Amino acid sequence: MPQPHRTNENDLVLPSGFDDIVRAIDRYVVDRRTGVPHGQQSARHRLPALLLTREPAAETGAAATAATGAAARDEGRGEADPALSALVHVYHHRLVRLNSGGTGHLASLAPHAIVDEELLVCDHPGDDAEGGDGPHVRLLDRVARQLRTTMPDGSGTLRLTEFDACLSVLRATVPDGDVRDERRALRDRIYDKYAWKFGFAAEVTALGEELGARQLSAVTKLVTTPLAWLWRWSYGVRVDRGARFRWVGGMLDEPGRSFLNAALSLRDAHLRSRAQERADREAPPAAGAPAASARSAVSAVSARDEAVVRQILLTALIHDLTRAARPPVWSARRPRRRWPFVLLLPTVGGDESPSRRLLNSFSAVAEETATCPLLVLGAATADVPPYAVGLSRPAVPSQNVRPGAYGATAQAVTSVLAAGASGRPVEAVRAVPLSRVPDTGTSAERPAVQRTVRSRERRGSDWLRPGAAAVAVLAVLAVVAAGLTRVPGLGGTRHHPAPKPVAAADTWCPRVDTGERVGITDGSDGCDLAHGLYADELRSLEARLGRQNAKVDRSGPYRTLVFFAPLSVGSASRRTVPTGFQMLRGALLAQKQVNDLNLKSQMPIRLLVANSGEYFHFGSRGGLNRTNHSRVDVARLIVDRIHRDHIAGVIGLTQSRPESLQAAVELDAQGVTVIGTGVSGQPMVEGDSPVSYFQLSAPDARVARVMASFARRSPRLAALTKVPAGHTAPAAVLVFDPHDTYFSADLKKRFTDAYGSAGPVYPVPYSESGNDSQTTSVAAGVCALIHRTDGFVLYAGRAGVMYDLFYYLQNDKQCRTHQGRIAVMAESAAPSLVLHPELMAQQYGSLSLFYNQFSLPEAKGTFATAFRTAYRVSSDSDAAAGYDALNVFFKVMNEIAVTDPQFTPSAVVTFLQSTGVTDYVGESGIMTFGKGHKYPVNKEIDIREITGDGTRITDLTCGAVAAREEPVTRWGPSANFLCPEDD
């Protein structure tokens, strides 16, 4: 099949303005810090990937009118065009120096690599034996080889320590055995291939033999053999426990700091993806829908494993390139390595394209790295990836670009590259739409031959740098020695150097050892809290936050609320989207709406967002939080900004954990009210719960009673189960985390008490921090119990690990062969399944999900409509909770401000304790709380079901709902079952 990038470059006419774009890119290929003053250059900088697209075709008449909406949605991203790949090859030729003999010398401007998918397809290493490389590994290996071979003259050798070690792990032949044997095999593989060898033992021994002294030889072996063993042992310890490879365990969500343990998990993921690839290639056509569904589910996990391997290899490569681009200050090569490393992707095609997958991984990985000296230039040949952000308007090039002048697109490209070079946050991938108008004055030969810049050549003055460093060290040593001789007894007064000034980003949003950036931001202060697979979602919300806060009039009285929740994950591949996203969307919508009101007297609201990190780990410190051993305390950061930002209260938390309750305790000490959303753990409202803490959801004591009533009496659940002899209700296989005392273990105890003797309860421990092997055994145990009892699964675990368990349940033989679907009832369901119920039928056809909600926003109501318009996703009870929490604060603050315009945060606590909120009609129900109640009395509780065709129906509603004047006290097909009453 002919490829468009094989066009003869001499016959190719470039699009208008492309020559200007090439020269804009050239400036940053020669010096990646172009335009940044020398005194302002920091170690952190990241150039965005540039994806060439085609400017949308112009429409006329009615067609133009119809295309207006689509053009608005395009946002400058452009369209894919297969012919664009030729332009990337044009730039590739620009990086090749031609000598007088016409022979290409691949070391002109910068080290570079080009991904040729045709060569990759033709490359079949043997029969792909067990443990062999996959296409994604071979692709990155080719990229690394090209970067090594294209290093400019005089710039030294490119060493890829981390990449080589990770690649060696994937290619290692590890015999089956216990974990210690496998760890030792991996260590020896890395040592034998990459370590500096302790090799003088053999040489000294040979010398002794030549001298004919057996005694000398024996002494030599006796001395040098232990030294060589000690060297190997210390190398293994450095590799396993050193800081350089600690990030691998973080990306794989492996506990501890052992690289070799993480390497075993990485190798297992690679072998699984390779085995599934061979199975897909050799499998016969599916016999029916169940087989196709099973194969689809397994392939999805295989794709996840492949993505994890690719991301880790790419991260290791970026780490190595970062070190290579910035040698030590005394190195003679430091002034020569000003360029970035260039990666060219001529064919960024559909989702299955190797280049597209590589760009996907780069987009995810680049967001997590503070420094990335890799400049990616690609061409969209099939479709434009959704994460590619268009250039800011006016970025579409003019049709009358003056030759030799920078056009609008070139200026926009320069702007985004300058932002990345200066260390400002930039999107990982930017789409560059090229004009459809050809530039008759240029051809492909011109960019390849007429270079406006060249890379820096080596100079003799470069050696002054190491010489000056050596002189400086000697001078310092001489001064220290002279000073010591003048201090009697060496006991003079110590003078500590003044601490270095701390950057704002490190003060308010420090990066922690999990790779996340936790802390607090107003959306425009340079603190980017986005991290991991869902970084783009949070980044778009941060941008909206900044725009809305910019409109708040801060010249008069105003108050600030803080949305405080886990908004990132330590690994992009092992956890579902944080539940706080929907609540944050609801809070942002409420902020916009209340600030747009024109009431006689109202308090403008400014909103801050605080990220506590996954599991609320860094949200607090000390006290109930026994997991955070760092010095980071996000609750303390909020306290430090109470007076500066006029903070009146905090909303969110979203998780019932000791860490989140400790954060509420720290805020309570300063009189700051916390209104929890999505929080249901009973300990949050009992015992250590501070007086300033309230929540908008019912606690587990009531939730457990409602779920137990549903399990005993629901005809929908009864249709999927059987009642065992001697009982009146089906058996419950209760999956819970025994270590999660604030939520899972508490819900397990309360459900068991409420279910009583109606049906047997079989507890099955399932830890939130377990690995895949543990999940497999848990799923097998659950399926065996379901097969034996014909009962249902009561999932009391966290929403973040529901997918893992569902995958193994779906693929277990006993669950798959069970007569009818298996009922699963969950208090906390995965957010993606709630928002996209069709996924249950597509991925988990053997299961039927019943889940708990705290409200049912009217699908066509004003809130749901406004939410869908703003975010293009459906609203749910989480979104309604975030929306109501901010509105409650708005109502309370306006009432307080009537008599006390300069009120402090403690005034809100006093109001809620003494007056409270009565019959507040919110989107999450009618709420009465405060004045002795930490949560709404008779709070609405709903149990919904995702049917076999992927639709949602409501099976139970109890409590005070917005659509009725009186609370709902009965449920069931004929309203013949009583709702459990509130305490």
Side-chain angles (χ1 to χ4, degrees):
M1 178 178 179
Q3 296 293 322
H5 63 263
R6 301 306 183 191
T7 306
N8 186 345
E9 282 78 6
N10 294 326
D11 299 332
L12 178 65
V13 177
L14 302 181
S16 177
F18 183 70
D19 199 25
D20 293 334
I21 296 173
V22 166
R23 287 187 285 128
I25 297 174
D26 275 347
R27 296 179 60 205
Y28 292 90
V29 169
V30 172
D31 188 349
R32 63 185 182 277
R33 312 306 301 276
T34 293
V36 182
H38 183 73
Q40 300 179 13
Q41 292 184 359
S42 64
R44 297 182 175 182
H45 62 279
R46 173 167 55 84
L47 298 177
L50 302 178
L51 184 65
L52 302 182
T53 61
R54 186 70 73 183
E55 178 186 355
E59 301 283 354
T60 59
T65 303
T68 301
R73 291 190 299 269
D74 177 69
E75 298 179 348
R77 287 162 29 96
E79 302 173 347
D81 185 352
L84 293 173
S85 60
L87 302 181
V88 178
H89 280 272
V90 166
Y91 197 82
H92 176 225
H93 290 176
R94 187 169 178 76
L95 300 179
V96 178
R97 174 186 299 164
L98 299 178
N99 60 19
S100 58
T103 304
H105 180 60
L106 303 180
S108 178
L109 294 177
H112 58 276
I114 184 169
V115 175
D116 192 327
E117 294 190 4
E118 290 183 349
L119 293 179
L120 191 66
V121 171
C122 296
D123 185 12
H124 295 288
D127 294 330
D128 240 2
E130 181 72 14
D133 292 347
H136 53 292
V137 176
R138 295 201 304 273
L139 186 150
L140 282 169
D141 189 24
R142 284 181 175 275
V143 168
R145 289 172 182 269
Q146 291 182 65
L147 293 176
R148 281 186 170 109
T149 58
T150 57
M151 287 288 287
D153 292 337
S155 60
T157 302
L158 178 61
R159 291 182 173 85
L160 305 177
T161 307
E162 292 186 20
F163 180 82
D164 287 339
C166 292
L167 190 64
S168 181
V169 165
L170 299 181
R171 292 176 170 174
T173 301
V174 178
D176 292 335
D178 60 20
V179 174
R180 288 182 299 178
D181 292 338
E182 293 178 353
R183 282 167 48 89
R184 189 179 298 109
L186 285 180
R187 182 203 64 188
D188 293 344
R189 160 83 179 188
I190 298 173
Y191 176 85
D192 294 337
K193 195 166 181 64
Y194 301 111
W196 177 79
K197 300 302 186 297
F198 194 87
F200 69 85
E203 297 175 1
V204 176
T205 302
L207 177 63
E209 293 177 353
E210 292 179 3
L211 295 175
R214 293 184 178 180
Q215 296 83 356
L216 178 60
S217 176
V219 171
T220 300
K221 289 182 180 180
L222 184 64
V223 173
T224 58
T225 298
L227 290 178
W229 177 88
L230 182 62
W231 174 250
R232 176 185 285 266
W233 173 83
S234 64
Y235 180 86
V237 171
R238 293 199 309 272
V239 168
D240 186 33
R241 296 290 179 176
R244 171 170 288 190
F245 292 98
R246 199 172 297 167
W247 59 270
V248 179
M251 288 189 68
L252 290 171
D253 204 21
E254 285 285 336
R257 47 185 290 190
S258 170
F259 167 67
L260 293 178
N261 287 345
L264 290 175
S265 297
L266 174 64
R267 185 173 175 276
D268 290 342
H270 179 56
L271 293 179
R272 285 197 303 267
S273 67
R274 297 295 299 120
Q276 183 59 37
E277 181 182 337
R278 285 191 296 272
D280 290 342
R281 190 167 56 243
E282 299 170 0
S293 175
R295 195 156 61 196
S296 174
V298 175
S299 297
V301 175
S302 174
R304 185 187 72 174
D305 289 335
E306 179 183 315
V308 169
V309 173
R310 185 166 52 245
Q311 288 183 15
I312 287 179
L313 284 178
L314 186 57
T315 301
L317 181 61
I318 290 176
H319 288 175
D320 289 328
L321 298 182
T322 300
R323 279 188 291 270
R326 192 176 175 85
V329 67
W330 58 82
S331 173
R333 293 168 181 152
R334 188 181 178 96
R336 304 174 197 165
R337 295 189 178 184
R338 296 178 177 176
W339 25 251
F341 297 84
V342 182
L343 176 60
L344 303 174
L345 305 176
T347 51
V348 179
D351 292 335
E352 300 301 320
S353 163
S355 296
R356 172 67 172 273
R357 291 182 174 180
L358 180 59
L359 189 63
N360 294 347
S361 297
F362 175 82
S363 176
V365 166
E367 302 289 357
E368 305 174 13
T369 55
T371 303
C372 179
L374 186 65
L375 175 60
V376 180
L377 178 63
T381 58
D383 55 45
V384 181
Y387 49 77
V389 180
L391 297 177
S392 57
R393 302 288 188 182
V396 177
S398 170
Q399 305 300 335
N400 298 313
V401 178
R402 179 167 52 86
Y406 274 30
T409 303
Q411 292 175 3
V413 169
T414 302
S415 176
V416 298
L417 290 176
S422 62
R424 299 197 301 271
V426 294
E427 292 79 2
V429 181
R430 299 302 295 262
V432 182
L434 302 180
S435 173
R436 292 182 177 273
V437 178
D439 186 350
T440 57
T442 65
S443 66
E445 183 179 6
R446 174 176 166 181
V449 177
Q450 298 183 359
R451 296 188 177 90
T452 58
V453 289
R454 288 182 178 274
S455 60
R456 183 186 184 280
E457 302 289 344
R458 55 184 173 183
R459 304 169 186 170
S461 58
D462 293 344
W463 293 100
L464 295 176
R465 182 179 294 266
V471 171
V473 170
L474 292 175
V476 169
L477 292 176
V479 170
V480 171
L484 291 177
T485 59
R486 296 181 182 182
V487 179
L490 303 179
T493 303
R494 294 184 179 181
H495 298 280
H496 297 281
K500 296 182 180 179
V502 182
D506 294 330
T507 301
W508 299 115
C509 50
R511 188 177 295 278
V512 293
D513 56 7
T514 61
E516 302 165 273
R517 189 175 285 281
V518 301
I520 188 169
T521 181
D522 66 359
S524 60
D525 53 8
C527 277
D528 184 7
L529 304 178
H531 174 83
L533 185 60
Y534 311 102
D536 291 340
E537 292 186 54
L538 181 57
R539 189 164 292 111
S540 66
L541 296 177
E542 288 176 335
R544 182 182 294 269
L545 173 72
R547 293 193 300 268
Q548 293 183 184
N549 282 337
K551 297 178 181 179
V552 177
D553 182 8
R554 301 171 67 182
S555 61
Y558 74 94
R559 287 297 182 270
T560 298
L561 298 178
V562 182
F563 183 88
F564 187 17
L567 296 172
S568 61
V569 293
S571 169
S573 60
R574 295 301 181 102
R575 292 293 179 267
T576 59
V577 58
T579 56
F581 280 13
Q582 281 290 85
M583 300 178 194
L584 176 55
R585 291 186 178 107
L588 285 169
L589 179 60
Q591 182 204 17
K592 181 181 186 304
Q593 291 182 354
V594 300
N595 285 340
D596 288 345
L597 295 174
N598 293 309
L599 304 179
K600 291 182 180 179
S601 176
Q602 71 177 68
M603 184 66 68
I605 291 183
R606 188 165 168 262
L607 188 63
L608 302 179
V609 170
N611 178 24
S612 63
E614 191 173 15
Y615 309 129
F616 222 97
H617 184 81
F618 301 98
S620 57
R621 184 167 175 261
L624 299 172
N625 188 341
R626 297 182 175 87
T627 61
N628 182 11
H629 304 295
S630 71
R631 303 185 63 181
V632 178
D633 184 349
V634 179
R636 183 70 234 178
L637 296 179
I638 297 174
V639 169
D640 291 342
R641 292 179 64 158
I642 290 177
H643 301 293
R644 163 184 161 176
D645 290 291
H646 302 281
I647 292 175
V650 172
I651 60 178
L653 296 192
T654 75
Q655 294 184 355
S656 306
R657 297 183 185 274
E659 296 82 359
S660 58
L661 186 57
Q662 175 61 29
V665 170
E666 294 179 24
L667 295 168
D668 174 72
Q670 303 299 321
V672 178
T673 302
V674 178
I675 296 183
T677 56
V679 179
S680 61
Q682 199 71 26
M684 299 295 289
V685 293
E686 295 178 350
D688 296 317
S689 180
V691 296
S692 63
Y693 173 78
F694 305 87
Q695 65 184 43
L696 299 188
S697 50
D700 279 342
R702 181 154 181 261
V703 173
R705 290 199 302 272
V706 172
M707 296 179 75
S709 176
F710 183 82
R712 287 196 301 265
R713 300 182 176 92
S714 169
R716 301 281 303 180
L717 186 67
L720 300 174
T721 59
K722 294 181 181 179
V723 177
H727 295 85
T728 59
V733 180
L734 203 160
V735 179
F736 76 107
D737 185 349
H739 306 292
D740 188 0
T741 57
Y742 271 50
F743 170 68
S744 184
D746 179 66
L747 179 61
K748 174 252 183 185
K749 176 182 180 299
R750 295 180 184 278
F751 177 85
T752 303
D753 293 342
Y755 207 45
S757 59
V761 177
Y762 301 94
V764 177
Y766 174 46
S767 176
E768 181 181 24
S769 59
N771 54 37
D772 284 346
S773 61
Q774 293 172 337
T775 308
T776 305
S777 62
V778 169
V782 169
C783 291
L785 285 170
I786 292 295
H787 183 77
R788 178 161 57 91
T789 65
D790 286 320
F792 69 98
V793 178
L794 193 288
Y795 182 77
R798 296 278 180 175
V801 290
M802 174 181 275
Y803 273 130
D804 300 70
L805 181 63
F806 273 26
Y807 167 75
Y808 288 106
L809 291 177
Q810 175 68 21
N811 289 278
D812 186 272
K813 178 181 178 181
Q814 294 192 80
C815 280
R816 289 295 294 275
T817 57
H818 184 264
Q819 295 298 320
R821 295 191 308 276
I822 296 173
V824 180
M825 184 161 53
E827 197 275 350
S828 179
S832 297
L833 296 180
V834 175
L835 292 177
H836 306 285
E838 66 277 3
L839 293 177
M840 280 299 300
Q842 295 172 1
Q843 300 180 8
Y844 312 110
S846 299
L847 310 177
S848 185
L849 178 62
F850 300 81
Y851 62 94
N852 171 70
Q853 282 191 185
F854 293 114
S855 67
L856 292 175
E858 187 180 350
K860 297 183 179 180
T862 56
F863 165 69
T865 302
F867 191 90
R868 190 181 305 108
T869 302
Y871 303 110
R872 301 185 184 278
V873 295
S874 300
S875 61
D876 59 6
S877 63
D878 288 340
Y883 182 85
D884 283 348
L886 190 138
N887 274 294
V888 166
F889 263 113
F890 179 69
K891 176 182 182 298
V892 171
M893 290 190 299
N894 284 342
E895 293 191 31
I896 297 174
V898 172
T899 57
D900 183 9
Q902 305 299 324
F903 69 88
T904 62
S906 60
V908 179
V909 181
T910 302
F911 182 93
L912 290 175
Q913 288 177 333
S914 59
T915 304
V917 176
T918 304
D919 290 337
Y920 175 79
V921 182
E923 297 299 330
S924 59
I926 299 178
M927 291 175 285
T928 297
F929 68 95
K931 204 175 180 179
H933 295 279
K934 284 185 168 292
Y935 53 89
V937 179
N938 284 327
K939 178 68 179 74
E940 176 183 351
I941 295 180
D942 307 280
I943 293 182
R944 308 197 75 187
E945 174 188 355
I946 299 178
T947 62
D949 58 357
T951 59
R952 289 172 296 201
I953 60 175
T954 302
D955 293 336
L956 175 148
T957 295
C958 289
V961 301
R964 298 192 184 187
E965 183 176 354
E966 296 295 330
V968 177
T969 58
R970 289 182 173 272
W971 68 277
S974 302
N976 50 343
F977 304 129
L978 285 173
C979 291
E981 295 181 358
D982 208 343
D983 290 333

